[in-house]
PDB file of all heavy atoms in Angstrom:
ATOM      1  N   TRP A 391     -10.286 -10.438  -0.530  1.00  0.00           N
ATOM      2  CA  TRP A 391      -9.720  -9.139  -0.909  1.00  0.00           C
ATOM      3  C   TRP A 391      -8.197  -9.177  -0.911  1.00  0.00           C
ATOM      4  O   TRP A 391      -7.554  -8.162  -0.690  1.00  0.00           O
ATOM      5  CB  TRP A 391     -10.183  -8.004   0.021  1.00  0.00           C
ATOM      6  CG  TRP A 391     -11.658  -7.915   0.195  1.00  0.00           C
ATOM      7  CD1 TRP A 391     -12.328  -8.026   1.371  1.00  0.00           C
ATOM      8  CD2 TRP A 391     -12.640  -7.693  -0.817  1.00  0.00           C
ATOM      9  NE1 TRP A 391     -13.677  -7.899   1.153  1.00  0.00           N
ATOM     10  CE2 TRP A 391     -13.893  -7.687  -0.188  1.00  0.00           C
ATOM     11  CE3 TRP A 391     -12.583  -7.508  -2.198  1.00  0.00           C
ATOM     12  CZ2 TRP A 391     -15.076  -7.505  -0.887  1.00  0.00           C
ATOM     13  CZ3 TRP A 391     -13.762  -7.325  -2.900  1.00  0.00           C
ATOM     14  CH2 TRP A 391     -14.985  -7.328  -2.238  1.00  0.00           C
ATOM     15  N   GLN A 396      -2.417 -13.228  -6.842  1.00  0.00           N
ATOM     16  CA  GLN A 396      -2.138 -13.996  -8.071  1.00  0.00           C
ATOM     17  C   GLN A 396      -0.657 -13.930  -8.441  1.00  0.00           C
ATOM     18  O   GLN A 396      -0.181 -14.749  -9.221  1.00  0.00           O
ATOM     19  CB  GLN A 396      -3.031 -13.515  -9.232  1.00  0.00           C
ATOM     20  CG  GLN A 396      -2.689 -12.170  -9.868  1.00  0.00           C
ATOM     21  CD  GLN A 396      -3.382 -10.993  -9.200  1.00  0.00           C
ATOM     22  OE1 GLN A 396      -3.612 -10.991  -8.000  1.00  0.00           O
ATOM     23  NE2 GLN A 396      -3.696  -9.959  -9.974  1.00  0.00           N
ATOM     24  N   ARG A 432      -8.495 -17.234  -6.360  1.00  0.00           N
ATOM     25  CA  ARG A 432      -9.551 -16.959  -7.356  1.00  0.00           C
ATOM     26  C   ARG A 432      -9.731 -15.454  -7.502  1.00  0.00           C
ATOM     27  O   ARG A 432      -9.848 -14.735  -6.502  1.00  0.00           O
ATOM     28  CB  ARG A 432     -10.882 -17.558  -6.903  1.00  0.00           C
ATOM     29  CG  ARG A 432     -10.823 -19.063  -6.864  1.00  0.00           C
ATOM     30  CD  ARG A 432     -12.176 -19.680  -6.558  1.00  0.00           C
ATOM     31  NE  ARG A 432     -12.009 -21.110  -6.366  1.00  0.00           N
ATOM     32  CZ  ARG A 432     -12.664 -21.829  -5.460  1.00  0.00           C
ATOM     33  NH1 ARG A 432     -13.557 -21.266  -4.678  1.00  0.00           N
ATOM     34  NH2 ARG A 432     -12.440 -23.113  -5.347  1.00  0.00           N
ATOM     35  N   PRO A 433      -9.779 -14.975  -8.769  1.00  0.00           N
ATOM     36  CA  PRO A 433      -9.849 -13.522  -8.971  1.00  0.00           C
ATOM     37  C   PRO A 433     -11.178 -12.888  -8.557  1.00  0.00           C
ATOM     38  O   PRO A 433     -12.223 -13.514  -8.660  1.00  0.00           O
ATOM     39  CB  PRO A 433      -9.650 -13.363 -10.491  1.00  0.00           C
ATOM     40  CG  PRO A 433      -9.967 -14.683 -11.070  1.00  0.00           C
ATOM     41  CD  PRO A 433      -9.732 -15.722 -10.023  1.00  0.00           C
ATOM     42  N   ILE A 434     -11.106 -11.639  -8.097  1.00  0.00           N
ATOM     43  CA  ILE A 434     -12.299 -10.791  -7.930  1.00  0.00           C
ATOM     44  C   ILE A 434     -12.046  -9.593  -8.852  1.00  0.00           C
ATOM     45  O   ILE A 434     -11.010  -8.935  -8.718  1.00  0.00           O
ATOM     46  CB  ILE A 434     -12.443 -10.274  -6.477  1.00  0.00           C
ATOM     47  CG1 ILE A 434     -12.531 -11.420  -5.477  1.00  0.00           C
ATOM     48  CG2 ILE A 434     -13.636  -9.336  -6.350  1.00  0.00           C
ATOM     49  CD1 ILE A 434     -12.520 -10.971  -4.002  1.00  0.00           C
ATOM     50  N   ILE A 435     -12.947  -9.356  -9.794  1.00  0.00           N
ATOM     51  CA  ILE A 435     -12.751  -8.232 -10.721  1.00  0.00           C
ATOM     52  C   ILE A 435     -13.457  -6.999 -10.147  1.00  0.00           C
ATOM     53  O   ILE A 435     -14.634  -7.054  -9.794  1.00  0.00           O
ATOM     54  CB  ILE A 435     -13.281  -8.570 -12.133  1.00  0.00           C
ATOM     55  CG1 ILE A 435     -12.612  -9.854 -12.667  1.00  0.00           C
ATOM     56  CG2 ILE A 435     -13.068  -7.401 -13.114  1.00  0.00           C
ATOM     57  CD1 ILE A 435     -11.098  -9.819 -12.774  1.00  0.00           C
ATOM     58  N   THR A 436     -12.701  -5.901 -10.061  1.00  0.00           N
ATOM     59  CA  THR A 436     -13.234  -4.701  -9.401  1.00  0.00           C
ATOM     60  C   THR A 436     -14.032  -3.830 -10.373  1.00  0.00           C
ATOM     61  O   THR A 436     -14.046  -4.065 -11.580  1.00  0.00           O
ATOM     62  CB  THR A 436     -12.095  -3.882  -8.777  1.00  0.00           C
ATOM     63  OG1 THR A 436     -11.099  -3.686  -9.782  1.00  0.00           O
ATOM     64  CG2 THR A 436     -11.486  -4.582  -7.595  1.00  0.00           C
ATOM     65  N   LEU A 437     -14.643  -2.786  -9.820  1.00  0.00           N
ATOM     66  CA  LEU A 437     -15.522  -1.892 -10.572  1.00  0.00           C
ATOM     67  C   LEU A 437     -14.841  -1.284 -11.810  1.00  0.00           C
ATOM     68  O   LEU A 437     -15.477  -1.053 -12.827  1.00  0.00           O
ATOM     69  CB  LEU A 437     -15.962  -0.768  -9.615  1.00  0.00           C
ATOM     70  CG  LEU A 437     -17.209   0.019  -9.902  1.00  0.00           C
ATOM     71  CD1 LEU A 437     -18.405  -0.892 -10.071  1.00  0.00           C
ATOM     72  CD2 LEU A 437     -17.450   0.994  -8.761  1.00  0.00           C
ATOM     73  N   GLY A 438     -13.533  -1.037 -11.709  1.00  0.00           N
ATOM     74  CA  GLY A 438     -12.800  -0.469 -12.848  1.00  0.00           C
ATOM     75  C   GLY A 438     -12.380  -1.524 -13.854  1.00  0.00           C
ATOM     76  O   GLY A 438     -11.659  -1.229 -14.802  1.00  0.00           O
ATOM     77  N   GLY A 439     -12.799  -2.770 -13.658  1.00  0.00           N
ATOM     78  CA  GLY A 439     -12.467  -3.844 -14.597  1.00  0.00           C
ATOM     79  C   GLY A 439     -11.099  -4.454 -14.363  1.00  0.00           C
ATOM     80  O   GLY A 439     -10.581  -5.180 -15.213  1.00  0.00           O
ATOM     81  N   GLU A 440     -10.487  -4.190 -13.208  1.00  0.00           N
ATOM     82  CA  GLU A 440      -9.127  -4.677 -12.976  1.00  0.00           C
ATOM     83  C   GLU A 440      -9.102  -5.947 -12.123  1.00  0.00           C
ATOM     84  O   GLU A 440      -9.981  -6.159 -11.294  1.00  0.00           O
ATOM     85  CB  GLU A 440      -8.305  -3.592 -12.255  1.00  0.00           C
ATOM     86  CG  GLU A 440      -7.950  -2.444 -13.171  1.00  0.00           C
ATOM     87  CD  GLU A 440      -8.156  -1.093 -12.529  1.00  0.00           C
ATOM     88  OE1 GLU A 440      -8.891  -1.006 -11.522  1.00  0.00           O
ATOM     89  OE2 GLU A 440      -7.596  -0.114 -13.045  1.00  0.00           O
ATOM     90  N   HIS A 441      -8.056  -6.746 -12.347  1.00  0.00           N
ATOM     91  CA  HIS A 441      -7.830  -7.904 -11.488  1.00  0.00           C
ATOM     92  C   HIS A 441      -6.727  -7.547 -10.500  1.00  0.00           C
ATOM     93  O   HIS A 441      -5.543  -7.670 -10.799  1.00  0.00           O
ATOM     94  CB  HIS A 441      -7.417  -9.134 -12.314  1.00  0.00           C
ATOM     95  CG  HIS A 441      -7.120 -10.324 -11.456  1.00  0.00           C
ATOM     96  ND1 HIS A 441      -6.461 -11.438 -11.920  1.00  0.00           N
ATOM     97  CD2 HIS A 441      -7.386 -10.584 -10.146  1.00  0.00           C
ATOM     98  CE1 HIS A 441      -6.334 -12.322 -10.935  1.00  0.00           C
ATOM     99  NE2 HIS A 441      -6.879 -11.818  -9.846  1.00  0.00           N
ATOM    100  N   GLU A 442      -7.147  -7.068  -9.360  1.00  0.00           N
ATOM    101  CA  GLU A 442      -6.202  -6.612  -8.343  1.00  0.00           C
ATOM    102  C   GLU A 442      -6.364  -7.454  -7.077  1.00  0.00           C
ATOM    103  O   GLU A 442      -5.424  -7.720  -6.362  1.00  0.00           O
ATOM    104  CB  GLU A 442      -6.556  -5.143  -8.045  1.00  0.00           C
ATOM    105  CG  GLU A 442      -5.428  -4.275  -7.597  1.00  0.00           C
ATOM    106  CD  GLU A 442      -5.908  -2.829  -7.456  1.00  0.00           C
ATOM    107  OE1 GLU A 442      -5.851  -2.092  -8.464  1.00  0.00           O
ATOM    108  OE2 GLU A 442      -6.344  -2.436  -6.358  1.00  0.00           O
ATOM    109  N   VAL A 443      -7.618  -7.854  -6.809  1.00  0.00           N
ATOM    110  CA  VAL A 443      -7.898  -8.571  -5.555  1.00  0.00           C
ATOM    111  C   VAL A 443      -8.399  -9.987  -5.830  1.00  0.00           C
ATOM    112  O   VAL A 443      -8.843 -10.291  -6.942  1.00  0.00           O
ATOM    113  CB  VAL A 443      -8.926  -7.794  -4.683  1.00  0.00           C
ATOM    114  CG1 VAL A 443      -8.275  -6.638  -3.990  1.00  0.00           C
ATOM    115  CG2 VAL A 443     -10.110  -7.340  -5.485  1.00  0.00           C
ATOM    116  N   ASN A 444      -8.303 -10.805  -4.801  1.00  0.00           N
ATOM    117  CA  ASN A 444      -8.601 -12.237  -4.957  1.00  0.00           C
ATOM    118  C   ASN A 444      -9.246 -12.812  -3.710  1.00  0.00           C
ATOM    119  O   ASN A 444      -9.142 -12.248  -2.622  1.00  0.00           O
ATOM    120  CB  ASN A 444      -7.285 -13.017  -5.152  1.00  0.00           C
ATOM    121  CG  ASN A 444      -6.492 -12.525  -6.333  1.00  0.00           C
ATOM    122  OD1 ASN A 444      -6.702 -12.968  -7.447  1.00  0.00           O
ATOM    123  ND2 ASN A 444      -5.573 -11.599  -6.101  1.00  0.00           N
ATOM    124  N   GLU A 445      -9.833 -13.995  -3.918  1.00  0.00           N
ATOM    125  CA  GLU A 445     -10.175 -14.857  -2.783  1.00  0.00           C
ATOM    126  C   GLU A 445      -9.036 -15.857  -2.671  1.00  0.00           C
ATOM    127  O   GLU A 445      -8.536 -16.336  -3.692  1.00  0.00           O
ATOM    128  CB  GLU A 445     -11.436 -15.657  -3.083  1.00  0.00           C
ATOM    129  CG  GLU A 445     -12.688 -14.855  -3.122  1.00  0.00           C
ATOM    130  CD  GLU A 445     -13.888 -15.741  -3.466  1.00  0.00           C
ATOM    131  OE1 GLU A 445     -13.697 -16.856  -3.997  1.00  0.00           O
ATOM    132  OE2 GLU A 445     -15.011 -15.307  -3.204  1.00  0.00           O
ATOM    133  N   ARG A 579     -13.251   1.009 -18.441  1.00  0.00           N
ATOM    134  CA  ARG A 579     -12.805  -0.256 -19.006  1.00  0.00           C
ATOM    135  C   ARG A 579     -13.950  -1.275 -19.095  1.00  0.00           C
ATOM    136  O   ARG A 579     -14.766  -1.365 -18.199  1.00  0.00           O
ATOM    137  CB  ARG A 579     -11.709  -0.825 -18.130  1.00  0.00           C
ATOM    138  CG  ARG A 579     -10.816  -1.723 -18.926  1.00  0.00           C
ATOM    139  CD  ARG A 579      -9.657  -2.114 -18.123  1.00  0.00           C
ATOM    140  NE  ARG A 579      -8.828  -0.960 -17.795  1.00  0.00           N
ATOM    141  CZ  ARG A 579      -7.828  -1.042 -16.951  1.00  0.00           C
ATOM    142  NH1 ARG A 579      -7.583  -2.157 -16.353  1.00  0.00           N
ATOM    143  NH2 ARG A 579      -7.091   0.008 -16.710  1.00  0.00           N
ATOM    144  N   SER A 580     -13.968  -2.018 -20.191  1.00  0.00           N
ATOM    145  CA  SER A 580     -15.042  -3.007 -20.331  1.00  0.00           C
ATOM    146  C   SER A 580     -14.814  -4.158 -19.359  1.00  0.00           C
ATOM    147  O   SER A 580     -13.700  -4.393 -18.917  1.00  0.00           O
ATOM    148  CB  SER A 580     -15.079  -3.540 -21.760  1.00  0.00           C
ATOM    149  OG  SER A 580     -14.015  -4.436 -21.943  1.00  0.00           O
ATOM    150  N   PHE A 581     -15.863  -4.862 -19.066  1.00  0.00           N
ATOM    151  CA  PHE A 581     -15.714  -5.991 -18.160  1.00  0.00           C
ATOM    152  C   PHE A 581     -15.232  -7.229 -18.906  1.00  0.00           C
ATOM    153  O   PHE A 581     -14.819  -8.194 -18.303  1.00  0.00           O
ATOM    154  CB  PHE A 581     -17.029  -6.299 -17.442  1.00  0.00           C
ATOM    155  CG  PHE A 581     -17.277  -5.351 -16.310  1.00  0.00           C
ATOM    156  CD1 PHE A 581     -17.933  -4.161 -16.516  1.00  0.00           C
ATOM    157  CD2 PHE A 581     -16.809  -5.646 -15.046  1.00  0.00           C
ATOM    158  CE1 PHE A 581     -18.143  -3.281 -15.477  1.00  0.00           C
ATOM    159  CE2 PHE A 581     -17.010  -4.774 -13.993  1.00  0.00           C
ATOM    160  CZ  PHE A 581     -17.677  -3.588 -14.206  1.00  0.00           C
ATOM    161  N   GLY A 582     -15.279  -7.186 -20.247  1.00  0.00           N
ATOM    162  CA  GLY A 582     -14.875  -8.360 -21.030  1.00  0.00           C
ATOM    163  C   GLY A 582     -13.437  -8.277 -21.475  1.00  0.00           C
ATOM    164  O   GLY A 582     -12.725  -7.318 -21.191  1.00  0.00           O
ATOM    165  N   GLU A 583     -12.995  -9.318 -22.178  1.00  0.00           N
ATOM    166  CA  GLU A 583     -11.642  -9.360 -22.718  1.00  0.00           C
ATOM    167  C   GLU A 583     -11.574  -8.503 -23.971  1.00  0.00           C
ATOM    168  O   GLU A 583     -12.581  -8.215 -24.600  1.00  0.00           O
ATOM    169  CB  GLU A 583     -11.301 -10.802 -23.118  1.00  0.00           C
ATOM    170  CG  GLU A 583     -11.118 -11.749 -21.962  1.00  0.00           C
ATOM    171  CD  GLU A 583      -9.759 -11.584 -21.303  1.00  0.00           C
ATOM    172  OE1 GLU A 583      -8.763 -11.620 -22.033  1.00  0.00           O
ATOM    173  OE2 GLU A 583      -9.722 -11.403 -20.075  1.00  0.00           O
TER     174      GLU A 583
END
Side-chain angles (χ1 to χ4, degrees):
W391 308 120
Q396 74 270 33
R432 294 186 187 142
I434 301 174
I435 304 301
T436 51
L437 202 55
E440 287 136 341
H441 178 195
E442 209 175 272
V443 283
N444 303 273
E445 290 179 342
R579 206 172 296 172
S580 75
F581 281 88
E583 290 282 308

